[in-house]
Amino acid sequence: MTDKPLGFDTLAIHAGAEPDPATGARQIPIYQTTAYVFRDADHAAKLFNLQEVGYIYSRLTNPTVSALANRVCALEGGAGAIACSSGHAAQIMALFPLMGPGRNVVASSRLYGGTITQFSQTIKRFGWSAKFVDTDDLAAVEAAVDDDTRAIFCETIANPGGYITDLDALAAIANKKGVPLIVDNTTASPYLCRPIEHGATLVVHSATKYLTGNGTVTGGIVVDSGKFDWSASDKFPSLSQPEPAYHGLAFHPALGSMAFTFHSIAIGLRDLGMTMNPQGAHYTLMGIETLSLRMQRHVENAMKVAEWLEKDPRIDFVTYAGLKSSPYNARVAKIVPKGAGALFTFAVKGGYDACVKLVDSLKLFSHVANLGDTRSLVIHSASTTHRQLTPEQLIASGAAPNVVRVSIGIEDVADIIADLDQALAKATA
Ligand SMILES: *Cc1c(COP(=O)(O)O)cnc(C)c1O
């Protein structure tokens, strides 16, 4: 191979995956082991001092899991990455080195329902809080960032409403205020968008979705751009100052662009234990090999289904950013030029009851609380994933009662449309 940087599709298959040094195995083995034998006492000491990189115990690192982290890191164009047990774990792991009691994160009001609950309720137990803002109102975002803010958080394509976030605009505010921008890139995947190129500091993923791609794994990833200067202010002492939780190591002065990644392994995974398992990592690696092919078909099918639905008289509106009618259509060329994803909502004439009937009448679509599967999926968010939200939060997050969310799969598009057609006939009869 030449020295030219490898293309995305090549990295999706090869990044992080040298033939196994012990056996020559071409596919990455599942290293189903808890611990690793030290060469001698000196080797062990060097590993624990972070003077040498190697494996100690699988709560921290494991070769199969590291291969996955390194592959997603390469696809996102980051400096380092860690894999963890779920997308929700990844979000806590991304915030953990930055936050402390009394600190807050400024978060988009358009987020995955589970994230809204995690941020508005559960993180309060750590003394952290979230301030939700409409990320189209840039003045409101800027005004929300105060002296205790330690990050701005958004999703590339916001779940569930077909909303595209202006990442560059949020990155400019984050930059001005000296805080990192964290982007949940789950619904776009690095094939459609690489947030670091738009100024993101950290990218988080639920690997459960498009990265694995077939609904077999629960996993998460945090990718660090390596570009944020954690020592530029006194806001991030766990990274810039001697850290008592790791015998006084000052991560950023000692490790530079790898500070966040090493902190996340040496303290985050060590003490929070939200580790990914090697078998799950293996499935996700297999999924990523076909990420580009799948995403191409996902967006192609989603566009055709959205266009068909928009013309149907039984539908009130379709919120797919790929449609010319979408207020976010202009952002597609800038943020997700290869396509606006495959997740969107549509409103059925007949409201809540018609939506419930529609979901019950679909045959090819699976009624599940998931997205990013090869299979077409449907959910009525207001009665399921988003039912813990207040009426105001439901509207703000795009999950109004008359709205159904679909995750368009990679089946024959004619079959997807035929299924919607027969179910709409029953729902609106
Ligand atoms: C599913 C999802 C999550 C949570 O991921 P889990 O793997 O289910 O913990 C977070 N963000 C988005 C956008 C998601 O779709």
Side-chain angles (χ1 to χ4, degrees):
M1 281 194 253
T2 63
D3 292 339
K4 209 165 136 267
L6 298 173
F8 185 91
D9 296 355
T10 308
L11 291 173
I13 294 166
H14 292 279
E18 296 302 317
D20 181 49
T23 62
R26 180 54 279 202
Q27 197 48 279
I28 301 164
I30 302 172
Y31 284 92
Q32 199 70 43
T33 183
T34 307
Y36 308 83
V37 178
F38 304 122
R39 286 195 301 272
D40 51 36
D42 182 49
H43 176 222
K46 285 201 172 105
L47 291 177
F48 280 100
N49 281 340
L50 301 183
Q51 288 162 330
E52 190 177 322
V53 177
Y55 298 100
I56 297 173
Y57 187 71
S58 284
R59 174 158 27 84
L60 310 174
T61 50
N62 167 284
T64 317
V65 176
S66 298
L68 170 63
N70 292 339
R71 183 168 301 176
V72 178
C73 184
L75 295 179
E76 289 285 6
I82 50 144
C84 34
S85 52
S86 69
H88 269 188
Q91 292 170 183
I92 296 297
M93 289 293 293
L95 291 172
F96 176 69
L98 319 179
M99 302 284 273
R103 308 307 182 198
N104 69 70
V105 52
V106 169
S108 171
S109 53
R110 296 180 189 84
L111 294 177
Y112 175 69
T115 305
I116 292 180
T117 308
Q118 186 187 52
F119 281 12
S120 63
Q121 305 298 329
T122 301
I123 65 172
K124 285 199 268 188
R125 303 278 193 108
F126 308 147
W128 309 350
S129 63
K131 297 190 194 180
F132 293 98
V133 286
D134 176 354
T135 43
D136 278 346
D137 186 347
L138 296 176
V141 176
E142 188 162 343
V145 177
D146 62 27
D147 289 345
D148 287 321
T149 301
R150 292 296 176 268
I152 299 177
F153 187 100
C154 68
E155 294 175 3
T156 310
I157 301 174
N159 179 353
Y163 170 86
I164 311 276
T165 305
D166 187 348
L167 301 180
D168 304 78
L170 292 187
I173 295 172
N175 208 17
K176 183 172 160 195
K177 296 288 189 177
V179 296
L181 173 66
I182 307 176
V183 178
D184 180 339
N185 199 33
T186 300
T187 51
S189 88
Y191 175 78
L192 296 178
C193 178
R194 300 186 353 137
I196 291 170
E197 291 169 358
H198 297 274
T201 298
L202 301 171
V203 179
V204 296
H205 276 282
S206 166
T208 315
K209 316 292 171 49
Y210 291 105
L211 291 178
T212 306
N214 50 29
T216 49
V217 166
T218 305
I221 312 274
V222 186
V223 181
D224 175 29
S225 66
K227 292 179 181 162
F228 195 87
D229 183 358
W230 305 109
S231 305
S233 73
D234 57 7
K235 287 185 174 166
F236 305 101
S238 190
L239 289 158
S240 64
Q241 303 297 318
E243 172 50 81
Y246 208 84
H247 48 72
L249 180 68
F251 281 82
H252 190 233
L255 297 157
S257 66
M258 291 303 285
F260 183 93
T261 304
F262 276 99
H263 187 287
S264 296
I265 296 167
I267 302 180
L269 290 176
R270 186 197 64 185
D271 296 346
L272 302 179
M274 300 167 169
T275 308
M276 183 179 250
N277 66 85
Q279 186 142 6
H282 175 78
Y283 288 139
T284 304
L285 281 161
M286 295 305 97
I288 292 173
E289 292 190 352
T290 57
L291 180 68
S292 297
L293 295 173
R294 286 185 287 107
M295 293 313 292
Q296 281 162 24
R297 177 66 77 85
H298 276 297
V299 295
E300 193 183 304
N301 280 0
M303 189 70 196
K304 287 181 185 155
V305 173
E307 281 172 340
W308 179 83
L309 284 167
E310 191 172 45
K311 288 195 206 100
D312 196 289
R314 297 166 292 190
I315 302 300
D316 269 330
F317 60 83
V318 182
T319 65
Y320 185 55
L323 294 172
K324 292 269 176 295
S325 59
S326 165
Y328 303 105
N329 189 248
R331 286 188 193 158
V332 173
K334 186 170 150 198
I335 308 288
V336 281
K338 287 187 228 157
L343 184 75
F344 61 89
T345 59
F346 58 91
V348 184
K349 285 189 179 141
Y352 190 98
D353 294 339
C355 287
V356 170
K357 193 114 188 256
L358 174 83
V359 165
D360 281 343
S361 305
L362 284 162
K363 291 178 182 140
L364 184 67
F365 278 77
S366 305
H367 182 199
V368 296
N370 192 16
L371 61 97
D373 197 316
T374 48
R375 290 152 199 82
S376 290
L377 312 175
V378 64
I379 196 151
H380 183 219
S381 304
S383 60
T384 54
T385 51
H386 286 56
R387 66 178 301 133
Q388 278 147 26
L389 305 191
T390 64
E392 299 77 49
Q393 285 176 324
L394 276 181
I395 306 285
S397 66
N402 61 334
V403 154
V404 167
R405 187 190 81 184
V406 284
S407 170
I408 300 298
I410 62 174
E411 303 101 331
D412 284 11
V413 72
D415 294 333
I416 299 173
I417 289 175
D419 193 34
L420 284 166
D421 193 28
Q422 65 81 21
L424 277 168
K426 288 184 187 129
T428 59

